[in-house]
Amino acid sequence: MRPMSLFESGESTGEVSLKSLFNGNHDVDGENKLDIEKLAFLICRGGWPMSVDLKGKAALQQAFDYYDAVVKSDINRADGVNKNPERVKRIMRSFARNQASQAACTLIANDILANEVEKVNEDTVHSYIEALKKIFVIEDMPAWNPNLRSKSAIRTSDTRFYVDPSIATASLGIGPEDLINDLHTFGLFFETMCVRDLRVFSESLDGSVYHYRDNTGLECDAVIHLRNGKYGLIEIKLGGEDLINEGAANLIKLKESIDTAKMKEPSFLMVLTGLGDYPYKREDGVLVVPLGVLRN
């Protein structure tokens, strides 16, 4: 069961089209109707089709029901091996705490040791994560490898993501108010929601979603690369002028480091936000687009 994007579930107005951006139309317009409370709710509700028509606690309960099914039975079907439900919970909690990072299995095992009673070794963590991948609970994001002018070493570790942010919140037993009271966690799980939607959109455009990071610390949260060679660079920020400026500066720096003699220039640079009333184009050419107006 694939989770739906905000556009598919009716929460995004769809006034900014990725396809149109790839075709060179950067005159963005629209109105974002999602405030911080609605965003927090949508992260915890998730994109599960059965939850979209429900309200309040009933909608939020669907993610917990899905999580319970994974822990108690679904994960065992991945490889036919019965797994300890409590161990599954511990690993899923740690994975949730390490969303949007390149955390190795060793780090997750150490995180469990620091936060739980039971010690779990690296091999066990790896086997459980692989089982969760097989049943499409986890989908890590591969690294993008562009041609660069510089000799920067590109980090090739995958970035950790659940297929839907509600799995992470259910794993931690938290709800919308908890996110609003912890904006750092809110930002990480908002990134998971953005990646979910970007994957849905890019698939329909014959593309894939990657991340970029090199040894100098330069990174890009999401790169949509189409089969025809076109690509767009995206930084994900919950909102706020300082964070948007930081994201835009990152994008421009990465664009300038790409060897355009060997590959195309990016079709667009975008800071994808949660908050903000309208999409707009900055003077430096970077687009600022709320997720609540985006579509494929």
Side-chain angles (χ1 to χ4, degrees), residues 34-295:
L34 304 180
D35 58 18
I36 192 167
E37 287 82 10
K38 183 66 172 177
L39 274 175
F41 174 81
L42 292 174
I43 287 171
C44 296
R45 186 203 68 185
W48 309 112
M50 75 283 282
S51 69
V52 170
D53 294 327
L54 300 175
K55 306 294 182 184
K57 290 183 178 179
L60 296 175
Q61 184 60 39
Q62 301 302 309
F64 285 100
D65 291 345
Y66 177 81
Y67 165 73
D68 288 340
V70 169
V71 168
K72 294 175 182 176
S73 60
D74 289 359
I75 192 171
N76 298 326
R77 294 203 296 269
D79 51 18
V81 177
N82 287 332
K83 296 174 179 60
N84 182 323
E86 288 304 314
R87 189 169 292 169
V88 178
K89 289 180 182 178
R90 291 185 179 99
I91 290 173
M92 290 185 70
R93 277 198 295 269
S94 178
F95 197 95
R97 287 192 290 265
N98 287 284
Q99 283 285 279
S101 77
Q102 286 88 44
C105 291
T106 307
L107 190 149
I108 293 175
N110 290 335
D111 176 66
I112 292 170
L113 182 61
N115 289 281
E116 312 284 353
V117 176
E118 183 190 29
K119 181 178 180 180
V120 179
N121 66 43
E122 180 182 350
D123 290 339
T124 300
V125 171
H126 177 75
S127 67
Y128 278 50
I129 287 177
E130 289 303 304
L132 291 168
K133 287 180 180 178
K134 289 178 181 177
I135 59 172
F136 307 106
V137 173
I138 284 170
E139 186 179 358
D140 290 343
M141 184 192 292
W144 186 57
N145 193 355
N147 290 303
L148 302 177
R149 293 192 180 94
S150 67
K151 299 297 183 183
S152 300
I154 296 170
R155 302 289 174 86
T156 57
S157 299
D158 290 354
T159 303
R160 302 293 195 180
F161 284 107
Y162 280 117
V163 298
D164 191 274
S166 66
I167 307 173
T169 57
S171 298
L172 293 173
I174 62 177
E177 290 185 4
D178 298 300
L179 292 182
I180 292 171
N181 291 328
D182 181 355
L183 291 182
H184 175 70
T185 301
F186 196 142
L188 294 178
F189 293 173
F190 172 68
E191 183 172 345
T192 303
M193 182 161 69
C194 289
V195 169
R196 177 200 68 194
D197 284 18
L198 292 175
R199 282 173 165 160
V200 172
F201 299 154
S202 64
E203 185 177 328
S204 72
L205 299 174
D206 284 331
S208 300
V209 184
Y210 302 88
H211 79 273
Y212 174 84
R213 188 179 184 189
D214 65 27
N215 63 337
T216 71
L218 181 61
E219 57 186 336
C220 183
D221 294 326
V223 180
I224 299 181
H225 201 123
L226 306 186
R227 288 182 184 174
N228 62 12
K230 292 182 178 180
Y231 63 96
L233 306 178
I234 301 172
E235 277 281 273
I236 298 170
K237 304 293 182 184
L238 185 57
E241 185 177 355
D242 289 345
L243 288 177
I244 290 171
N245 288 337
E246 175 189 307
N250 244 18
L251 293 169
I252 292 169
K253 188 175 180 180
L254 177 54
K255 177 186 176 182
E256 291 173 346
S257 72
I258 292 170
D259 188 347
T260 52
K262 295 182 178 179
M263 62 187 298
K264 299 176 180 179
E265 286 198 356
S267 297
F268 59 85
L269 308 179
M270 178 196 297
V271 179
L272 184 59
T273 66
L275 306 176
D277 295 331
Y278 308 103
Y280 60 94
K281 184 177 181 179
R282 292 164 44 109
E283 290 184 2
D284 56 17
V286 176
L287 305 173
V288 179
V289 180
L291 184 63
V293 302
L294 195 62
R295 63 166 297 170

